[in-house]
Amino acid sequence: MTQAEMAHTCRGTINLATAHIDTEDACNIVLSSGGRTYHLKASTEVERQRWVTALELAKAKAIRMMNDQSDDSADEEPTSQSDHSEIQGTLKTLASKLDDLSTCNDLIAKHGAALQRSLSELETLRVPLEGGEKIKAVNERATLFRITSNAMINACRDFLDLAESHSRRWQRVLQHEREQRTHLEETIEQLAKQHNSLERAWREAPAHAVNTPATPTTDTGVSERPRKEEASDEDEDTEYFDAMEDSPAFITVTATDPSHHSSNDFSGKELQPHRKRRTQIPEKPNYSLNLWSIMKNCIGKELSKIPMPVNFNEPLSMLQRLTEDLEYHELLDKAARCENSLEQMCLVAAFSVSSYSTTVHRTAKPFNPLLGETYELDRLEEFGYRSICEQVSHHPPAAAHHVMSQRGWTLWQEITIASKFRGKYLSIMPLGAIHLQFHASGNHYVWRKVTSTVHNIIVGKLWIDQSGDIDIVNHRTKETCQLKFSPYSYFSREVPRKVTGVVKDSDGQAHYILSGTWDDKMESAKIVQSSRGSSSSEGKQKTVYQTLTPKLLWKKYPLPENAENMYCFSALALTLNEEEEGVCWTDSRLRPDQRLMEAGRWDEANVEKQRLEEKQRARRRRREAEASKAIDEGDYMPLWFHQRTDGLTGETIYVYKGGYWEAKERQAWNMSPDIF
């Protein structure tokens, strides 16, 4: 319906900005707002979906027009009219000034003519020769003055004409760009919604349709329909990969092994009857807030620079999330007891994968640590290790981490989080190396994390994927392991979240095949023979590895009961923010906004979060002011870590300089900054 039809064909109106759009069944749509309700019926389900999509887009536009202060891209047409009025006002002012110049020009011409007449009359008088020459010179200057004033007014008129023509062109270009952007945004949202509708229809299809003759099956009669699980909610921004590229560049064939014993299960928790830790936290409140309304103006920015309310956080700091890497620390305890370095490499690889298992359902954002914030995890009595983290840089955000275990290993890392919001997905790229050294053998392993991607930012269910390669190197023996995290693909028959890898000696000879998923388990299979296979359909020649029966390296622990209402925290995560006596006053457990959020007091937490961030900015300004008066530079100096050049990677990293646990024993925290 157009504006012209409103007067004679419209039976009523409804404000879409405040309207509730619902669907009764396959074809009906219900619109309600302010006590008025409309029941609409489409001829087919597809047509109903098109109408719902169009109404949702129109509602979004109406909200933008109503609430332009929260959306830079809202009110496209009023903004255009405002810009047009401003330009017209400017041109009107210029024209007025041009009229003033014309009036002045007329006066100059009038007085200039009178002056020249007077000078001509003077020339006719009988005056000495020298006086006549001077009068003639003045006359010529008056003529030049009149010519110059005429040139000035002509130039002003040309400038106004040029400004008018260019303003019209600029307006057309600006309007075209605005229309293109609006069209792209609406197309993206429409495609995402249609995509989700198709996925729902696919999932809700009758189960018996799977085994119809049209569905390809394997020799055993099992359908090859790929397992989508939660990942099926991906939007159209998914990168598509050929199924062959998702599969490893090798084929494994299991050989019989009469001497093979039952697999070594390295997943059992070594329970210790020590302090009882908490097993639950307050349930997550049901707060509704539109993520897209906040993040749409932040495309391309660093995640750490986006002002986010706690509504999208989980009540843990990034330092605590980093400490969660230790959930399967017993893998390293077992690796420390390995005499064979290649078997040790398998366990180290399984440990590197296990750190991602906690992320599969964790779509909320951890708190960005304040500069100087620390987090300790003392599990010396229970599991033999102590962990300390410190936020050593704010821009870019970087955390240093050190873990020492009495069971034969030390782990340290400095992680800088680089993140970009791309519109409908968020890329999180941890930068920095992870170091692990075993005390007995001196084996020193180094690896880096892969990229994490949060999908469906605009619409649909948020889900996380991991993709990329992890190259683990034992710098003492030069043995290697390459792990491939296959990105999710609609067209792949492989299991989602698949991880494959090969463990090789210093000569490049393969000894173990690793396989599994980053959210469930990893297995290793010893290679007994390898050969070059025939070329595939793509011309790639794959290596065929004959292996023994796989052994379980790692298995994910089940989530605690009611975890879905507690931010999907694991058993370890539930204990990380538990109050602890004697910790430094910069510890994440003492951060007030995070504590308020965990208690369910989100409004108070948001106020406290703003206070802490402003306090941090004030500290930085004060530090910079003091540095300008001092001889040395005013860069922040971490308390428990210092920068050193790593001898293996050549990188400058923060490493633990000691002293934290000794200070805790004495309760000597006087050097720690006041950040909360």
Side-chain angles (χ1 to χ4, degrees):
M1 178 175 292
T2 64
Q3 288 292 123
E5 296 175 308
M6 290 287 287
H8 58 86
T9 59
C10 182
R11 297 177 57 186
T13 61
I14 192 167
N15 185 359
L16 273 179
T18 58
H20 179 68
I21 304 170
D22 203 356
T23 53
E24 285 185 337
D25 53 27
C27 297
N28 285 358
I29 307 170
V30 179
L31 288 175
S32 57
S33 178
R36 184 187 296 270
T37 303
Y38 288 91
H39 295 266
L40 309 175
K41 185 171 183 179
S43 57
T44 63
E45 186 175 356
V46 174
E47 185 181 13
R48 184 213 65 181
Q49 181 61 36
R50 291 175 60 192
W51 271 104
V52 169
T53 300
L55 289 168
E56 289 285 358
L57 292 173
K59 178 180 177 179
K61 187 172 183 179
I63 293 173
R64 289 200 304 267
M65 293 174 68
M66 244 177 67
N67 193 20
D68 59 343
Q69 69 272 14
S70 66
D71 183 5
D72 293 342
S73 64
D75 294 334
E76 298 288 347
E77 293 176 5
T79 303
S80 178
Q81 293 171 2
S82 174
D83 289 349
H84 185 269
S85 300
E86 183 179 351
I87 293 171
Q88 291 302 316
T90 302
L91 292 174
K92 187 176 180 181
T93 303
L94 286 172
S96 174
K97 296 298 181 184
L98 186 63
D99 289 339
D100 293 344
L101 286 171
S102 297
T103 302
C104 292
N105 184 65
D106 292 338
L107 290 173
I108 289 171
K110 178 181 177 182
H111 294 308
L115 176 62
Q116 283 185 314
R117 283 197 301 273
S118 298
L119 290 171
S120 298
E121 291 171 359
L122 285 174
E123 286 181 356
T124 59
L125 296 176
R126 292 184 178 181
V127 294
L129 181 62
E130 184 180 351
E133 291 295 331
K134 287 184 178 180
I135 292 172
K136 185 176 181 181
V138 171
N139 199 357
E140 290 175 351
R141 289 175 183 174
T143 303
L144 288 173
F145 182 79
R146 185 182 62 182
I147 294 172
T148 303
S149 64
N150 285 333
M152 180 187 68
I153 197 67
N154 290 333
C156 290
R157 184 174 287 107
D158 292 340
F159 171 80
L160 181 62
D161 293 339
L162 190 63
E164 286 179 330
S165 63
H166 274 70
S167 71
R168 287 192 294 270
R169 184 172 66 84
W170 290 336
Q171 279 184 287
R172 287 195 300 271
V173 171
L174 179 62
Q175 186 61 28
H176 175 73
E177 292 297 327
R178 282 180 171 153
E179 289 171 356
Q180 288 293 312
R181 188 184 67 185
T182 302
H183 175 69
L184 285 172
E185 289 179 350
E186 293 177 350
T187 301
I188 287 171
E189 291 185 335
Q190 186 175 2
L191 286 172
K193 291 181 179 181
Q194 290 174 353
H195 180 84
N196 279 336
S197 177
L198 287 171
E199 283 193 329
R200 285 195 300 272
W202 182 85
R203 289 197 301 270
E204 293 166 4
H208 62 77
V210 172
N211 291 322
T212 57
T215 305
T217 58
T218 63
D219 294 340
T220 58
V222 180
S223 169
E224 292 187 358
R225 182 177 181 175
R227 286 169 53 193
K228 294 294 186 281
E229 302 180 1
E230 298 91 335
S232 60
D233 285 319
E234 184 184 6
D235 62 16
E236 76 282 358
D237 226 11
T238 307
E239 292 185 77
Y240 295 133
F241 296 85
D242 187 88
M244 185 61 70
E245 293 179 356
D246 283 351
S247 60
F250 53 82
I251 302 170
T252 58
V253 178
T254 305
T256 57
D257 180 16
S259 63
H260 177 67
H261 300 287
S262 59
S263 64
N264 296 326
D265 188 349
F266 297 129
S267 63
K269 196 74 168 178
E270 299 177 14
L271 300 176
Q272 300 287 343
H274 292 284
R275 170 181 169 178
K276 184 175 177 59
R277 304 284 177 180
R278 69 180 185 181
T279 58
Q280 60 183 16
I281 59 175
E283 292 192 1
K284 179 181 179 181
N286 186 21
Y287 277 72
S288 61
L289 196 61
N290 185 2
L291 177 62
W292 177 239
S293 68
I294 292 175
M295 297 192 72
K296 60 194 166 188
N297 297 325
C298 304
I299 295 176
K301 293 183 181 178
E302 281 282 344
L303 180 63
S304 61
K305 297 181 181 179
I306 299 176
M308 297 283 284
V310 302
N311 304 54
F312 301 114
N313 283 33
E314 61 179 17
L316 287 179
S317 164
M318 179 59 78
L319 300 182
Q320 292 164 310
R321 280 292 290 269
L322 190 59
T323 307
E324 280 191 70
D325 286 359
L326 301 172
E327 178 150 19
Y328 299 93
H329 60 88
E330 65 270 14
L331 289 169
L332 301 184
D333 297 343
K334 294 182 182 296
R337 299 194 295 268
C338 278
E339 295 182 0
N340 185 306
S341 59
L342 291 170
E343 292 179 3
Q344 188 179 74
M345 175 70 85
C346 292
L347 289 165
V348 172
F351 174 79
S352 71
V353 175
S354 70
S355 64
Y356 297 98
S357 63
T358 61
T359 67
V360 65
H361 301 298
R362 301 269 290 279
T363 54
K365 173 182 175 290
F367 279 77
N368 289 330
L370 300 172
L371 186 61
E373 185 173 330
T374 61
Y375 180 72
E376 68 158 72
L377 188 66
D378 190 346
R379 294 291 190 265
L380 199 62
E381 291 186 3
E382 295 99 322
F383 306 117
Y385 71 83
R386 276 175 163 174
S387 166
I388 175 66
C389 292
E390 182 178 6
Q391 188 75 359
V392 295
S393 172
H394 187 61
H395 287 305
H401 185 202
H402 182 86
V403 192
M404 194 283 295
S405 172
Q406 291 180 339
R407 300 183 182 175
W409 54 269
T410 301
L411 182 145
W412 66 97
Q413 58 182 324
E414 181 199 329
I415 298 296
T416 300
I417 300 296
S419 54
K420 288 290 185 181
F421 176 52
R422 306 292 185 181
K424 297 194 303 315
Y425 67 92
L426 182 69
S427 295
I428 303 169
M429 298 147 286
L431 309 176
I434 303 169
H435 293 257
L436 171 66
Q437 188 165 30
F438 292 100
H439 304 162
S441 63
N443 288 336
H444 188 155
Y445 296 86
V446 179
W447 70 92
R448 301 172 191 273
K449 291 179 177 285
V450 296
T451 297
S452 300
T453 306
V454 183
H455 293 270
N456 282 2
I457 296 293
I458 289 184
V459 66
K461 181 181 177 182
L462 291 174
W463 63 277
I464 291 180
D465 196 20
Q466 318 287 348
S467 60
D469 294 342
I470 291 181
D471 294 318
I472 307 174
V473 179
N474 181 344
H475 283 273
R476 190 184 73 84
T477 64
K478 306 305 178 185
E479 294 162 349
T480 62
C481 174
Q482 184 181 55
L483 294 169
K484 177 180 176 59
F485 287 64
S486 299
Y488 178 78
S489 169
Y490 281 105
F491 302 125
S492 174
R493 292 189 177 94
E494 301 286 357
V495 62
R497 311 181 190 97
K498 184 175 182 179
V499 181
T500 55
V502 182
V503 175
K504 298 180 180 180
D505 61 23
S506 58
D507 296 324
Q509 181 69 33
H511 288 263
Y512 286 92
I513 296 297
L514 305 181
S515 62
T517 58
W518 53 263
D519 68 321
D520 186 26
K521 65 179 181 180
M522 286 296 293
E523 296 177 332
S524 68
K526 185 174 178 59
I527 298 170
V528 294
Q529 187 177 346
S530 62
S531 61
R532 301 295 292 177
S534 59
S535 298
S536 66
S537 58
E538 295 184 349
K540 299 177 182 177
Q541 192 176 40
K542 292 195 173 185
T543 302
V544 178
Y545 292 121
Q546 189 177 19
T547 67
L548 300 180
T549 303
K551 297 181 181 181
L552 183 65
L553 293 172
W554 159 74
K555 175 75 175 171
K556 180 188 176 183
Y557 306 135
L559 288 178
E561 185 179 355
N562 196 35
E564 63 275 8
N565 295 320
M566 297 186 295
Y567 308 90
C568 291
F569 280 179
S570 66
L572 173 64
L574 288 173
T575 70
L576 293 179
N577 209 43
E578 189 174 11
E579 293 185 11
E580 188 102 15
E581 292 185 2
V583 300
C584 183
W585 59 53
T586 56
D587 196 275
S588 300
R589 296 174 179 86
L590 304 177
R591 182 167 173 164
D593 53 350
Q594 186 172 301
R595 181 64 61 188
L596 287 167
M597 186 204 173
E598 183 185 273
R601 298 156 64 183
W602 286 13
D603 292 335
E604 297 172 66
N606 276 318
V607 173
E608 190 66 13
K609 182 172 182 285
Q610 291 180 1
R611 182 188 71 81
L612 290 175
E613 290 171 349
E614 179 52 41
K615 183 175 181 178
Q616 179 171 245
R617 285 190 286 268
R619 282 180 58 223
R620 182 176 183 179
R621 289 193 295 267
R622 187 166 58 250
R623 192 167 62 248
E624 290 173 347
E626 291 171 354
S628 65
K629 300 175 184 177
I631 298 175
D632 58 344
E633 294 184 1
D635 293 338
Y636 175 77
M637 299 295 291
L639 200 56
W640 311 111
F641 291 79
H642 55 184
Q643 280 191 319
R644 291 291 181 269
T645 300
D646 184 77
L648 296 177
T649 64
E651 298 174 335
T652 301
I653 64 170
Y654 281 94
V655 294
Y656 182 56
K657 64 181 179 181
Y660 179 86
W661 302 107
E662 293 78 5
K664 181 182 180 182
E665 190 173 342
R666 303 191 310 271
Q667 285 297 291
W669 305 123
N670 55 306
M671 294 296 293
S672 297
D674 173 23
I675 59 175
F676 298 148

